[in-house]
Amino acid sequence: MKKNKVISAREAIALIRENDVVTTTGFVQSCIPEALHAALEERFVETGSPKNLTLIMTAGAGDSKGLGTGRLHHEGLLGRVIAANFGRMPKVAQAAKENRIRGYNLPQGVISQLYRACAAGQPGLFSKVGLHTYVDPRHGGGRVNELTSDDIVKVVEVDGEEWLFYTATKIDVAFIRGTSADPHGNISMEKEALTLDVLAQAMAARNNGGIVIAQVERIVEDGFLLPKDVRVPGILVDCVVVAEPEMHRMNYGVMHNPALAGQIRVPVANMAKMPLDARKVIARRAAFELPPNGVVNLGVGAPEGISAVANEERVTPYITLTTEAGAVGGVLASGSSFGAATNADCIIDQNQMFDFYDGGGLDMTCLGMAECDEEGNVNTSSFGGKLNGCGGFINISQNARSVVFAGTFTVGGLDVAIEDSRLVIRQEGRSRKFIRQVEQNTFSGPYAKQRSQPVIYVTERCVFELTPEGLELTEIAPGVDIHRDILAHMDFKPIINRPKMMDIRIFRDEPMDLLADLLNLNLCERVSYDADRNMLFLNLEGWHCRSKEDIADLRKVLVDACEKAGKRVKSVVNHDGFKLSESLYDDYAEMIQYLLENYYETTTRYATNAFLRLKMQEALKRRGVAPHVFERKEDAHAFLEATANAANKARRSETAAA
């Protein structure tokens, strides 16, 4: 006969021994087994035991003020921490900074996937995530202090490629959380916002001979739970603890929201509109990078605003927003509910989401930035004397097909306003973000350049782009002076060619008609034809070609214009500020070849971006097309004029000879 596994929190916590390795679930402020954390804290304060625990966790799980894993700060309770985020347990982070405990700050996705390795009895995990960042053993190996000496990350070579090998740490105790449990420990999660890694954590502890303690809000009769509703089977669970309602909130700011749990769908058309401030300016500019029909991840902070902007602009149905915590689709939640989503299409386990991310499934991500340097390196993990941790940042930023870093230009007292479609800086921030060298490298600019990964950096006053030569200033907000408001507040001088003005629509408190831009509905307005000179002008300034569908839309617009002209035309194309995804150069060159063969008499183009010119010239040469790509408009027009004069001269010579 199966035993009843329901016991008190005190009885469950009494099973933990000194020196045990404990893992717990939770994401930011959601899905935290608060009753178990509280009981562990209470036992230690009362008895001084268990001592010297190792805590393993993925994302931060707390309110940054002492709840969640923040309860485990007491001297002697923890001896080692392996975590992606330390920011939500500041006293534990301080202990690590002061060399009172050993600690490792590893990528969230790596820790999440290591649970599966532990469950399967494997020695660890091979991953490229973390190469050339502070996690790389050549740059620190993820150790957070001098006290931490053991290497748990190694560089290995497989078939001529570098990989990181992360050593798995066997787990003795797993704290998990669900909604309902039957007396035999079968766990369902119908009222939870996320499923996270509870199944993998339970397997990891169980297969190591450890114990699994599940916190739930209610006990149901045996046989009540449908098999497909059970997310953790009772064979993996040793103890079930029923928590008081206050200890089982959906998150610290919400007792329960059925829309976040996927129990109902709610209308979102009337969501509150963001005020037009610095945060919205950043979110609006970043939203221009959204890939139609693409999969997107948004980080915490300034990037969260993109979800609201997308909803305002009616773009949400054309993109799929995701969170590393496992939410797919819907409108991403913010604040205490960050990581969840209203009206999500589905919720998958966190480790599965990181499989998708690491394999290149993300078309775009927008993440925050605390520091950035002239190499394009970004720091979000350790700055200003604080150990924050990388969270999922490294997995996401290294593997997304395009990356947008977003945040204010300075921080600490920054006060800006939008007046008459212009940015006004009322008070500058006390601290600079664009510095000579980042304190810790959470994102490697050189590694991104090596892999030709598109990266831009969006602030309220300007935009930078990572180019082969370094960080280039490409856009400036209206009302901003480049020397007074930008260069004077940076520790280095970026590359400056011909920065353009940020789209004026961003600074007007009215809809931007972003959907038309993303779906190329206004593309025809970029084409004009001068019948007297038989010249077709195509202005692609600021246009972002993200997909083969974009190329198909452009081809159709050009073919329609040429057929309307009724004869072969001379074509001039402005590529200033034009962006072409790395994988599309050959497809773009194929379109040019097709137009030359069927519609163009001759064509020329210009772009101030040297890298774009080089890549385009290479792509055209491969197709046997003359690579006429100039730096200046005047040179392009002069070439076209010279070509036309030569052709006229040749025709006159032929006529005279006849």
Side-chain angles (χ1 to χ4, degrees):
M1 181 178 177
K2 296 179 182 179
K3 70 173 184 177
N4 188 326
K5 297 179 179 179
V6 182
I7 61 177
S8 70
R10 182 180 287 268
E11 291 172 319
I13 296 302
L15 300 173
I16 301 175
R17 305 160 300 179
E18 293 193 358
N19 304 309
D20 270 352
V21 176
V22 179
T23 185
T24 187
T25 189
F27 183 89
V28 187
Q29 297 191 43
S30 295
C31 306
I32 298 171
E34 192 69 27
L36 303 184
H37 295 159
L40 177 55
E41 179 186 33
E42 182 180 3
R43 177 187 167 190
F44 184 82
V45 169
E46 290 178 357
T47 69
S49 181
K51 294 179 181 177
N52 199 40
L53 300 180
T54 290
L55 173 65
I56 299 180
M57 53 188 289
T58 52
D63 65 346
S64 304
K65 299 173 184 176
L67 296 182
T69 53
R71 293 178 179 272
L72 310 182
H73 67 87
H74 301 282
E75 191 78 27
L77 174 56
L78 297 178
R80 181 175 63 155
V81 175
I82 301 172
N85 184 289
F86 283 77
R88 298 204 160 266
M89 44 183 185
K91 290 184 178 180
V92 175
Q94 189 62 30
K97 293 286 287 184
E98 295 174 357
N99 278 297
R100 290 187 279 120
I101 61 173
R102 291 172 293 147
Y104 298 88
N105 180 210
L106 302 184
Q108 182 177 328
V110 167
I111 297 175
S112 182
Q113 292 158 337
L114 276 170
Y115 292 139
R116 294 203 313 253
C118 290
Q122 296 166 349
L125 174 74
F126 285 95
S127 178
K128 288 184 178 289
V129 172
L131 280 170
H132 306 289
T133 71
Y134 73 90
V135 180
D136 191 314
R138 294 165 294 195
H139 304 288
R143 295 186 293 270
V144 302
N145 57 27
E146 295 79 14
L147 181 66
T148 308
S149 57
D150 293 343
D151 291 322
I152 63 172
V153 189
K154 299 176 183 177
V155 179
V156 295
E157 188 173 299
V158 180
D159 293 335
E161 290 188 36
E162 282 189 344
W163 293 76
L164 295 182
F165 180 76
Y166 293 87
T167 303
T169 301
K170 291 184 177 180
I171 293 170
D172 300 306
V173 181
F175 289 174
I176 65 172
R177 168 176 155 150
T179 300
S180 305
D182 64 23
H184 307 307
N186 294 301
I187 309 294
S188 66
M189 304 183 73
E190 63 270 22
K191 293 176 70 175
E192 304 300 310
L194 302 160
T195 60
L196 300 176
D197 296 309
V198 294
L199 177 59
Q201 288 171 299
M203 283 186 179
R206 169 68 170 72
N207 287 356
N208 186 46
I211 60 172
V212 178
I213 305 173
Q215 173 181 314
V216 298
E217 71 170 61
R218 61 193 179 196
I219 302 297
V220 298
E221 281 290 333
D222 184 28
F224 176 80
L225 299 176
L226 297 175
K228 289 183 180 178
D229 290 339
V230 173
R231 302 304 296 259
V232 182
I235 58 171
L236 302 179
V237 178
D238 297 282
C239 314
V240 176
V241 173
V242 180
E244 295 294 326
E246 276 299 317
M247 291 292 192
H248 201 88
R249 302 175 70 92
M250 176 174 268
N251 60 63
Y252 293 129
V254 175
M255 181 59 75
H256 180 66
N257 181 341
L260 293 178
Q263 296 174 304
I264 61 172
R265 295 184 73 85
V266 297
V268 296
N270 296 321
M271 285 178 62
K273 182 181 176 183
M274 289 177 69
L276 186 56
D277 54 12
R279 183 169 177 263
K280 186 169 185 176
V281 164
I282 294 168
R284 280 182 143 193
R285 173 58 188 86
F288 277 92
E289 304 299 315
L290 290 170
N293 303 313
V295 181
V296 177
N297 168 277
L298 302 179
V300 69
E304 294 177 64
I306 296 178
S307 180
V309 169
N311 191 61
E312 281 181 32
E313 298 286 337
R314 305 294 186 261
V315 171
T316 303
Y318 298 91
I319 56 174
T320 300
L321 297 174
T322 66
T323 72
E324 62 268 36
V328 179
V331 178
L332 304 190
S334 59
S336 66
S337 301
F338 179 75
T342 298
N343 299 348
D345 295 327
C346 73
I347 304 294
I348 63 176
D349 286 357
Q350 183 171 224
N351 51 73
Q352 295 170 332
M353 183 61 84
F354 276 111
D355 288 344
F356 177 66
Y357 283 2
D358 289 355
L362 275 177
D363 294 292
M364 172 203 157
T365 185
C366 183
L367 301 167
M369 57 179 173
E371 294 177 341
C372 177
D373 65 25
E374 56 189 333
E375 290 288 335
N377 300 313
V378 172
N379 176 19
T380 62
S381 47
S382 182
F383 51 90
K386 293 183 180 180
L387 173 60
N388 187 53
C390 60
F393 185 97
I394 299 178
N395 295 83
I396 297 165
S397 64
Q398 276 195 291
N399 295 302
R401 291 174 184 157
S402 68
V403 181
V404 178
F405 292 115
T408 55
F409 191 78
T410 61
V411 68
L414 176 66
D415 182 14
V416 303
I418 314 301
E419 299 176 2
D420 299 324
S421 303
R422 297 163 67 84
L423 185 78
V424 178
I425 301 171
R426 294 171 172 170
Q427 179 176 303
E428 193 58 77
R430 294 183 296 275
S431 300
R432 298 182 176 191
K433 286 189 175 181
F434 291 87
I435 59 177
R436 183 71 60 186
Q437 185 174 359
V438 294
E439 182 179 337
Q440 187 171 80
N441 194 338
T442 328
F443 174 82
S444 171
Y447 188 44
K449 287 190 287 186
Q450 178 185 324
R451 295 177 296 124
S452 300
Q453 185 181 34
V455 185
I456 68 169
Y457 309 74
V458 176
T459 76
E460 80 288 351
R461 69 188 72 178
C462 61
V463 178
F464 299 95
E465 182 176 346
L466 185 62
T467 72
E469 293 75 31
L471 211 64
E472 180 177 347
L473 178 64
T474 56
E475 299 176 35
I476 301 173
V480 166
D481 180 85
I482 189 171
H483 294 284
R484 179 193 67 215
D485 300 321
I486 298 175
L487 300 183
H489 303 285
M490 301 177 67
D491 287 353
F492 62 90
K493 185 177 180 180
I495 298 166
I496 302 175
N497 287 319
R498 298 177 186 174
K500 65 173 187 171
M501 184 180 292
M502 292 171 68
D503 196 309
I504 196 69
R505 290 175 292 173
I506 295 170
F507 302 89
R508 292 174 177 161
D509 199 8
E510 58 190 41
M512 299 189 297
D513 197 22
L514 178 62
L515 185 59
D517 277 45
L518 296 185
L519 299 185
N520 299 323
L521 301 181
N522 298 329
L523 199 52
C524 59
E525 297 174 8
R526 293 178 175 270
V527 181
S528 59
Y529 176 62
D530 184 338
D532 293 337
R533 293 189 291 167
N534 189 32
M535 281 193 179
L536 188 77
F537 297 96
L538 174 61
N539 178 17
L540 293 181
E541 186 169 354
W543 189 58
H544 189 173
C545 185
R546 303 174 178 85
S547 65
K548 291 183 180 181
E549 289 77 13
D550 289 339
I551 294 176
D553 289 342
L554 180 59
R555 182 194 298 235
K556 183 178 186 306
V557 166
L558 291 171
V559 168
D560 289 347
C562 290
E563 289 185 345
K564 187 176 179 180
K567 56 183 175 181
R568 286 182 176 268
V569 301
K570 296 185 281 287
S571 165
V572 181
V573 185
N574 173 9
H575 280 114
D576 265 353
F578 168 71
K579 287 192 286 185
L580 180 63
S581 295
E582 178 68 23
S583 62
L584 298 178
Y585 277 96
D586 190 60
D587 296 282
Y588 194 78
E590 187 275 331
M591 179 195 71
I592 295 171
Q593 181 183 28
Y594 171 80
L595 292 168
L596 273 168
E597 290 173 353
N598 296 279
Y599 294 99
Y600 288 168
E601 181 180 309
T602 186
T603 185
T604 185
R605 56 206 69 245
Y606 59 93
T608 54
N609 187 318
F611 181 67
L612 177 69
R613 291 200 307 274
L614 175 64
K615 297 291 288 185
M616 198 169 292
Q617 287 167 344
E618 290 175 349
L620 290 170
K621 281 180 180 178
R622 285 196 297 269
R623 291 192 163 270
V625 177
H628 302 309
V629 187
F630 297 95
E631 180 178 2
R632 301 185 315 131
K633 176 174 68 175
E634 294 79 9
D635 296 335
H637 280 270
F639 170 80
L640 206 63
E641 194 68 33
T643 303
N645 290 339
N648 290 335
K649 185 177 180 181
R651 281 194 292 269
R652 287 196 298 270
S653 297
E654 290 173 5
T655 302

